[in-house]
Amino acid sequence: MIHRLVRATRLFLQVQYRSGFVHVYFGLALFTILVVRLFVPASWRSFLVPALFLGEYGTMGVFMVAAQSYLARNERSSLALAVTPLRSIERVAAMVLASGVLAVAAGLLVFAGIMGIDPRVLWLTLPLLATTVLSGSVGLILASRYSEFTRFLMGAVPAVTFFSLPFLSFFDLVPRYTFAWLPWDAALYSFANLVSETPQLSTYVLLVTQLLVFAAIALYGAVRSEVLD
């Protein structure tokens, strides 16, 4: 199973490269580093960087994975994969992981470029991967409900707005735990913990555990949506 999943992920990575997804991820990463380093005061970065991570990788994954799903439909590659030994969970996981691998690599580059290279870069890998798996799975669930990408874009607006609710507590507009039940809250505060000079291990473990549980639930939902589609 692991061997098939790795090969399928490599296949989707090749498709993303051919379709320009890789250029989008890393082009945006380099642009983000440049803008923050040149125009954002260092004292603001502890607030800005977590918000950027949730905004770019917590929501962009929804659109990137959904776009890849529509591309696969148009190219009939999803039908070709359907007759391979790959099971539905392996196909869905490979598609989500391919986007997640790119997002994690780009996110680590952004973190290192803005905050510097230190052990926090490695700590970021797991929460960022869980966040991208979560957002990618949500993208596939939404994509299964719309036959056209343009309709998906309109339907995704409420979901992306929902993702942004934890910003209200992050910027002290509502009490901290108002949106603590949302997975995006765990993602945002996990990033905020790692941006601090002395990240708390207990906070890291708690929030990453939450993210992994939410990601697993979302991935299961994405597999179910493909089976029922």
Side-chain angles (χ1 to χ4, degrees):
M1 175 180 174
I2 299 298
H3 182 65
R4 294 196 302 267
L5 179 61
V6 171
R7 294 189 64 179
T9 302
R10 288 176 58 187
L11 173 63
F12 281 116
L13 283 171
Q14 291 173 356
V15 172
Q16 289 191 354
Y17 181 81
R18 185 191 67 201
S19 304
F21 287 55
V22 176
H23 306 82
V24 171
Y25 271 113
F26 286 94
L28 181 59
L30 293 174
F31 177 76
T32 300
I33 294 171
L34 183 65
V35 170
V36 173
R37 298 287 294 187
L38 291 179
F39 301 108
V40 177
S43 60
W44 292 10
R45 292 174 188 174
S46 60
F47 292 98
L48 180 62
V49 172
L52 283 173
F53 270 70
L54 183 62
E56 291 188 3
Y57 304 110
T59 59
M60 189 169 69
V62 174
F63 298 101
M64 287 297 188
V65 177
Q68 186 173 349
S69 175
Y70 284 104
L71 179 65
R73 294 182 200 178
N74 293 335
E75 293 183 342
R76 304 290 183 177
S77 57
S78 57
L79 295 178
L81 286 173
V83 297
T84 66
L86 288 174
R87 294 182 296 172
S88 295
I89 188 171
E90 292 168 341
R91 293 197 303 272
V92 171
M95 184 179 296
V96 172
L97 284 175
S99 180
V101 167
L102 291 179
V104 168
L108 296 181
L109 177 63
V110 168
F111 190 93
I114 295 175
M115 305 302 298
I117 300 176
D118 57 50
R120 293 178 299 173
V121 176
L122 295 178
W123 283 37
L124 178 63
T125 303
L126 193 54
L128 187 54
L129 179 61
T131 300
T132 57
V133 169
L134 172 64
S135 60
S137 298
V138 170
L140 286 180
I141 293 171
L142 291 173
S144 69
R145 300 177 180 274
Y146 300 96
S147 59
E148 299 177 359
F149 187 61
T150 51
R151 293 184 177 180
F152 160 81
L153 291 176
M154 296 298 296
V157 170
V160 172
T161 302
F162 201 56
F163 293 4
S164 303
L165 291 178
F167 285 131
L168 297 177
S169 59
F170 186 66
F171 292 108
D172 295 325
L173 298 176
V174 298
R176 161 67 180 87
Y177 294 104
T178 302
F179 301 110
W181 51 277
L182 290 174
W184 331 115
D185 175 275
L188 181 60
Y189 283 92
S190 178
F191 301 146
N193 179 49
L194 290 176
V195 166
S196 65
E197 294 183 0
T198 56
Q200 298 298 312
L201 180 59
S202 58
T203 300
Y204 178 84
V205 172
L206 175 63
L207 295 179
V208 168
T209 300
Q210 287 182 284
L211 278 172
L212 291 173
V213 171
F214 282 123
I217 294 172
L219 185 60
Y220 174 78
V223 173
R224 290 284 298 168
S225 68
E226 181 179 277
V227 172
L228 298 176
D229 190 13

